[in-house]
Amino acid sequence: WMQLNSRNIERSVVIQSIFGTKVPCRQERKSWMALDIFLDVSHTIDSIRDTAIWFSKNADLDSRKILLFYCGKPRNPAELIVPLLVIPF
């Protein structure tokens, strides 16, 4: 630990920082006016599958849905969008 800690950061501060960290937009649900907004920043095929399941279980089946999909390089958007196609729109 001391060899890696060239800045003299207390070990307890590092541990508190790690456990206190929240990753925004991982299966987050927000309400705004009359909208339910589902946010997720999945970027692997497995995490997108998990998100599709989560969304399908939690979104109102009768509501209008909008999917905003973004895929940055070097990922393959044609592969990554497949798990999202099972969501009933």
Side-chain angles (χ1 to χ4, degrees), residues 1 3 16-17 23-24 40 44 52 54 74-75 77-78 81 84-85 88:
W1 165 255
Q3 290 175 345
Q16 286 175 340
S17 297
V23 178
D40 193 87
T44 67
W54 165 73
R75 293 176 177 81
I81 202 165
L84 299 174
L85 298 177

Side-chain angles (χ1 to χ4, degrees), residues 56-76:
S56 295
K57 287 181 179 178
N58 291 284
D60 181 1
L61 293 176
D62 297 326
S63 69
R64 185 171 167 200
K65 296 169 188 66
I66 299 170
L67 172 64
L68 175 62
F69 175 78
Y70 170 79
C71 183
K73 292 181 181 179
R75 293 176 177 81
N76 179 354

Side-chain angles (χ1 to χ4, degrees), residues 31-66:
S31 292
W32 180 71
M33 298 175 66
L35 297 173
D36 280 329
I37 302 167
F38 294 81
L39 303 169
D40 193 87
V41 293
S42 300
H43 62 278
T44 67
I45 196 77
D46 290 332
S47 63
I48 290 176
R49 277 190 198 110
D50 291 343
T51 296
I53 292 167
W54 165 73
F55 181 80
S56 295
K57 287 181 179 178
N58 291 284
D60 181 1
L61 293 176
D62 297 326
S63 69
R64 185 171 167 200
K65 296 169 188 66
I66 299 170

